[in-house]
Amino acid sequence: MVTLKEIARECNVSPTTVSNILNGKPKVSEETKERVLETVNRLGYRPNYIAQGLRNQKTKMIGIIAEDIAQFTTPEIVEGIMSYCEEKGYRSIVKNLRLYARWSDSWYNKESDYHAILEPAIRELTSIMVDGIIYIAGHARVIHCFPEDFSTPAVMTYAFDSNPAIPCVGIDDQGSAYEAVKYLISKGHRKIGVIGGRADNIHTQQRLLGYQKALFEHQVLYNPAWIRYAAWDETSAYIEALELMKTEVTAVFCMADRMAGGLYRCLNENGKRAGTDMAVVGFDGQEISEYFIPGLTTMALPLRKIGHVSAEVLLRQIESGDSRIRQEDGAEKILIPCTFIERESVHQI
Amino acid sequence: MVTLKEIARECNVSPTTVSNILNGKPKVSEETKERVLETVNRLGYRPNYIAQGLRNQKTKMIGIIAEDIAQFTTPEIVEGIMSYCEEKGYRSIVKNLRLYARWSDSWYNKESDYHAILEPAIRELTSIMVDGIIYIAGHARVIHCFPEDFSTPAVMTYAFDSNPAIPCVGIDDQGSAYEAVKYLISKGHRKIGVIGGRADNIHTQQRLLGYQKALFEHQVLYNPAWIRYAAWDETSAYIEALELMKTEVTAVFCMADRMAGGLYRCLNENGKRAGTDMAVVGFDGQEISEYFIPGLTTMALPLRKIGHVSAEVLLRQIESGDSRIRQEDGAEKILIPCTFIERESVHQI
């Protein structure tokens, strides 16, 4: 933080002169005034009277940092946070890092570029004295986001923070996939293919574990050849669907509705139909799943709930005045199950 | 704006005492300090040294007010604004009014409730001294948003402000609908039905005008019985699609992709197919349109472009230092055409 004295030294004037200018007093020459204000802006100086005086007071404002609000999961999480905050008398404000817009899918490998974007956003929120910060990730992974000594209450949403003192709220990928696959088994399917996301992704790994668990419990053999990895999108899933069509699978668990879209296209081009010739379950409960014909059975992400719970955890921190950094055994990790939506894409065999 | 003197009077202490407390000086009793800080918070007092001193300086920060970031059109507009701002060295921050989440579709009739939500958001942004504000509406209409004497640079996006001094940026509904219908005519269709949005909506009215203009230019009679109004959603459009199926129309212009979804379902249930038995054009270019089978030909909303142009107009205002309120002939209204996306839902007859 730049101080008033540093501004004064930089401009070669007395601290009183800087103070007079910032207080709008007229006794200073126009030239000096311009020079000082330019320096104030350039160095990012903010008078900290407010911060000093109100340090122990609440602003009743929370900050939300979104990795990218154009990710389909983000707006509803924001809505969940905001509706809970409003109920409790808190206002909120959003910073958008635009990580996907900026760097597409490659950004999570750019640690220093990432921090060059993240840190000014955090500073901006702390400079307007938010009571707490919720960080909304675009997908699950471990993020070096909040520094070890970060003292503002904070919550990591839809991912995990490497700082163990930061509470995390996410989805129960494993449990939800387990339920989806159990449903396929209950409909008589034993030969169940998988179109997964990228193999190194936490969502993929956890959902695959859920699939394996469901198979094991029902004493169904696990055939690794039926596990196909795609890139979360329609086009790459279509290619994997073509491969699965050559096997004897009667059902496919798709780890994203978008990827189920690739399977639907593949079925359609081969004169086949979901829910008749091939059972299909999706994941996400995106709007697109409502428009599939026949309607896609899927696990809907509990986005509003995630937002709601994140806000609850944050406000509890704020209102208890707990200093997170003293929690030595690590903060809570909350995983919320998806909601099963049954439509017409799974037939009994 | 509450002044320091008012705080002092309310607390029955001298203005100097209030000032000392806000400056963190120790000479005050704990009880007085608490009472003053409580009053400062309750009345929303903010020291205005900064505002006075920096009045003619830029913070290089703009504020975005979204009616609801969970509206499908909003995140991409925000992205368009932010990418342009970043390029030009401006940061940005978002306030979300949550109007649809709060009141569903009925909110635009609640003028005073609306202002009770809007005004604190504007105050919050001006109190952190943004250089300008972009307001993103959820759908086109005339909004009483920025007061006549509002002096911060501002732009209304995706709607119109009743204050003629506020520039507006939206979509060219009429021209885009005209292009869509001309395309159907070029494929030999003369009997073209319409599934429109609500009849009293500006988007509906302008798109209908575009349809009428295209018909007239090609000397096709206008049959009002083929114009069906729905509520922008799949279910209500399905009902209107059932009616159109009883007529001799060979093509349908749907004013939303979601409504085209209702028509697809109706066709499917009657053993018919878009692009073979009925030509279908949508509007919006939402993600769902990629997943329709066959793929839906549609007019994609130029959302990023709208955001980009809005930011351009705002920054021009900010950097020229123009006082908008002196522009007597009204500010510019910019309408941006949609992008035509040709897929497989229209056949030649």
Side-chain angles (χ1 to χ4, degrees):
Chain A
M1 199 83 176
V2 181
T3 66
L4 196 109
K5 276 186 190 163
E6 283 165 338
I7 300 284
R9 203 178 314 129
E10 176 89 10
C11 299
N12 211 11
V13 297
S14 73
T16 314
T17 305
V18 176
S19 175
N20 282 343
I21 290 168
L22 290 176
N23 285 283
K25 290 186 187 157
K27 288 174 290 186
V28 195
S29 81
E30 206 52 39
E31 184 270 330
T32 309
K33 189 174 153 189
E34 264 191 49
R35 190 154 47 88
V36 169
L37 289 175
E38 186 276 325
T39 309
V40 162
N41 268 341
R42 183 161 47 81
L43 301 182
Y45 172 73
R46 300 226 161 197
N48 61 353
Y49 318 104
I50 317 175
Q52 283 173 3
L54 301 181
R55 186 164 292 155
N56 298 313
Q57 291 289 317
K58 306 283 197 282
T59 54
K60 290 267 180 177
M61 162 92 93
I62 72 142
I64 298 170
I65 297 178
E67 288 193 339
D68 204 319
I69 64 160
Q71 280 288 97
F72 82 91
T73 43
T74 306
E76 272 198 65
I77 295 177
V78 172
E79 167 53 27
I81 293 170
M82 289 195 167
S83 67
Y84 185 83
C85 284
E86 267 202 31
E87 223 176 81
K88 303 293 175 189
Y90 281 77
R91 293 158 303 140
S92 43
I93 202 152
V94 184
K95 288 295 300 175
N96 178 21
L97 304 184
R98 305 182 48 248
L99 299 186
Y100 291 83
R102 209 184 286 285
W103 297 314
S104 181
D105 264 358
S106 68
W107 60 266
Y108 41 88
N109 299 321
K110 305 191 179 188
E111 187 78 17
S112 70
D113 291 1
Y114 165 63
H115 277 270
I117 300 294
L118 169 69
E119 281 159 22
I122 292 182
R123 268 203 304 279
E124 215 160 276
L125 290 175
T126 51
S127 87
I128 60 170
M129 295 184 303
V130 294
D131 290 338
I133 296 178
I134 298 179
Y135 183 99
I136 306 174
H139 74 268
R141 64 203 193 285
V142 176
I143 310 179
H144 307 289
C145 177
F146 297 108
E148 292 294 324
D149 59 352
F150 194 65
S151 63
T152 305
V155 171
M156 173 59 66
T157 296
Y158 214 66
F160 307 96
D161 200 295
S162 58
N163 177 347
I166 305 290
C168 304
V169 181
I171 44 173
D172 181 4
D173 280 305
Q174 193 185 134
S176 305
Y178 169 81
E179 292 299 333
V181 177
K182 233 176 61 174
Y183 170 77
L184 285 171
I185 295 171
S186 77
K187 292 289 193 177
H189 297 276
R190 290 283 180 285
K191 295 172 176 164
I192 304 171
V194 171
I195 300 180
R198 294 183 199 279
D200 62 354
N201 177 288
I202 293 183
H203 296 298
T204 304
Q205 291 161 351
Q206 288 298 314
R207 291 174 198 174
L208 189 62
L209 270 171
Y211 164 88
Q212 292 164 331
K213 205 173 127 191
L215 255 49
F216 177 76
E217 272 188 17
H218 292 84
Q219 303 185 289
V220 178
L221 284 172
Y222 174 73
N223 182 350
W226 293 344
I227 315 299
R228 316 291 312 182
Y229 297 97
W232 298 111
D233 65 331
E234 200 267 3
T235 312
S236 63
Y238 171 84
I239 294 164
E240 301 308 321
L242 283 172
E243 293 304 312
L244 283 177
M245 298 278 287
K246 297 176 193 159
T247 71
E248 2 155 21
V249 302
T250 63
V252 181
F253 167 47
C254 298
M255 292 193 189
D257 295 340
R258 287 174 178 166
M259 298 200 293
L263 174 55
Y264 265 61
R265 177 156 64 93
C266 182
L267 287 168
N268 182 66
E269 287 177 1
N270 287 278
K272 297 193 165 163
R273 204 178 151 94
T276 311
D277 308 301
M278 180 74 85
V280 184
V281 172
F283 209 101
D284 290 340
Q286 267 196 275
E287 184 179 17
I288 56 169
S289 70
E290 298 169 36
Y291 290 85
F292 285 24
I293 296 176
L296 179 65
T297 293
T298 187
M299 297 301 285
L301 300 177
L303 300 172
R304 270 164 216 254
K305 183 92 185 280
I306 287 176
H308 183 102
V309 172
S310 301
E312 214 178 323
V313 171
L314 184 75
L315 265 42
R316 209 188 304 137
Q317 260 183 72
I318 292 171
E319 297 189 345
S320 71
D322 256 10
S323 175
R324 256 183 313 93
I325 50 173
R326 269 183 250 119
Q327 293 183 14
E328 273 161 31
D329 50 346
E332 51 192 334
K333 315 273 173 245
I334 301 173
L335 298 180
I336 298 172
C338 294
T339 307
F340 182 63
I341 300 179
E342 189 172 16
R343 296 202 184 97
E344 302 85 41
S345 61
V346 177
H347 55 299
Q348 179 86 42
I349 60 168
Chain B
M1 199 83 173
V2 182
T3 65
L4 196 110
K5 278 187 188 164
E6 284 165 338
I7 300 284
R9 205 179 310 129
E10 176 89 8
C11 298
N12 211 12
V13 297
S14 72
T16 313
T17 306
V18 176
S19 175
N20 282 342
I21 292 169
L22 289 177
N23 284 285
K25 291 187 185 156
K27 290 174 288 186
V28 195
S29 80
E30 207 51 40
E31 183 270 329
T32 308
K33 190 175 152 188
E34 265 192 49
R35 190 156 45 89
V36 168
L37 289 176
E38 186 275 325
T39 310
V40 162
N41 268 340
R42 182 163 45 82
L43 301 183
Y45 171 73
R46 301 228 160 196
N48 59 358
Y49 317 104
I50 315 173
Q52 284 173 3
L54 300 181
R55 186 163 293 155
N56 298 314
Q57 290 289 316
K58 305 283 197 281
T59 54
K60 290 265 179 181
M61 162 92 93
I62 72 141
I64 297 170
I65 298 178
E67 288 194 339
D68 204 319
I69 65 159
Q71 280 289 97
F72 80 91
T73 43
T74 306
E76 272 197 66
I77 295 177
V78 171
E79 167 53 27
I81 293 170
M82 288 194 167
S83 67
Y84 185 84
C85 283
E86 268 202 29
E87 221 175 84
K88 301 294 174 188
Y90 281 76
R91 293 158 305 140
S92 44
I93 203 152
V94 183
K95 289 294 300 175
N96 178 20
L97 304 184
R98 304 181 52 246
L99 299 187
Y100 290 83
R102 210 183 285 283
W103 296 314
S104 182
D105 264 358
S106 67
W107 61 267
Y108 42 86
N109 299 321
K110 303 191 179 190
E111 186 80 15
S112 69
D113 292 1
Y114 165 65
H115 277 269
I117 300 295
L118 170 69
E119 281 159 22
I122 292 182
R123 268 203 303 280
E124 218 159 277
L125 290 176
T126 50
S127 87
I128 60 171
M129 296 184 303
V130 295
D131 290 337
I133 296 177
I134 298 179
Y135 183 99
I136 306 174
H139 74 267
R141 63 201 193 286
V142 176
I143 309 178
H144 306 289
C145 177
F146 296 107
E148 291 294 324
D149 60 351
F150 193 65
S151 63
T152 305
V155 171
M156 171 60 65
T157 296
Y158 215 64
F160 307 96
D161 202 295
S162 57
N163 177 347
I166 305 291
C168 304
V169 181
I171 44 172
D172 181 5
D173 281 304
Q174 193 185 132
S176 306
Y178 169 80
E179 292 300 331
V181 176
K182 232 175 60 172
Y183 171 76
L184 286 171
I185 294 171
S186 78
K187 293 288 193 177
H189 297 277
R190 291 283 180 286
K191 293 172 177 167
I192 304 171
V194 172
I195 300 181
R198 293 183 200 279
D200 62 354
N201 178 289
I202 293 183
H203 295 298
T204 305
Q205 291 161 352
Q206 289 298 315
R207 291 174 199 175
L208 189 61
L209 270 171
Y211 164 87
Q212 291 165 333
K213 205 174 126 192
L215 256 49
F216 177 75
E217 274 188 14
H218 293 83
Q219 302 185 289
V220 178
L221 282 173
Y222 174 73
N223 183 350
W226 292 344
I227 315 299
R228 317 289 313 179
Y229 297 97
W232 299 111
D233 66 329
E234 200 267 3
T235 313
S236 63
Y238 171 83
I239 294 164
E240 301 309 322
L242 283 173
E243 293 304 312
L244 283 178
M245 298 278 286
K246 297 177 193 160
T247 70
E248 8 161 12
V249 302
T250 63
V252 181
F253 167 47
C254 298
M255 292 192 190
D257 295 341
R258 286 174 177 165
M259 299 200 292
L263 174 55
Y264 265 60
R265 177 157 63 94
C266 182
L267 288 167
N268 183 66
E269 286 175 3
N270 287 279
K272 298 193 164 162
R273 204 179 152 94
T276 312
D277 307 301
M278 179 76 83
V280 184
V281 172
F283 209 101
D284 289 341
Q286 268 196 278
E287 185 180 15
I288 56 169
S289 70
E290 298 169 36
Y291 291 84
F292 285 22
I293 297 177
L296 179 65
T297 293
T298 187
M299 297 301 287
L301 299 177
L303 299 172
R304 270 165 215 254
K305 182 91 185 280
I306 286 175
H308 183 103
V309 172
S310 301
E312 213 180 322
V313 170
L314 185 74
L315 296 196
R316 209 187 306 138
Q317 260 183 72
I318 292 171
E319 297 189 345
S320 71
D322 256 10
S323 175
R324 256 184 310 94
I325 49 174
R326 270 184 248 116
Q327 294 185 13
E328 272 161 33
D329 50 347
E332 51 192 335
K333 315 276 173 244
I334 301 174
L335 298 181
I336 298 171
C338 294
T339 307
F340 182 63
I341 300 179
E342 188 171 17
R343 297 202 184 95
E344 302 85 41
S345 61
V346 177
H347 55 299
Q348 179 86 43
I349 60 169

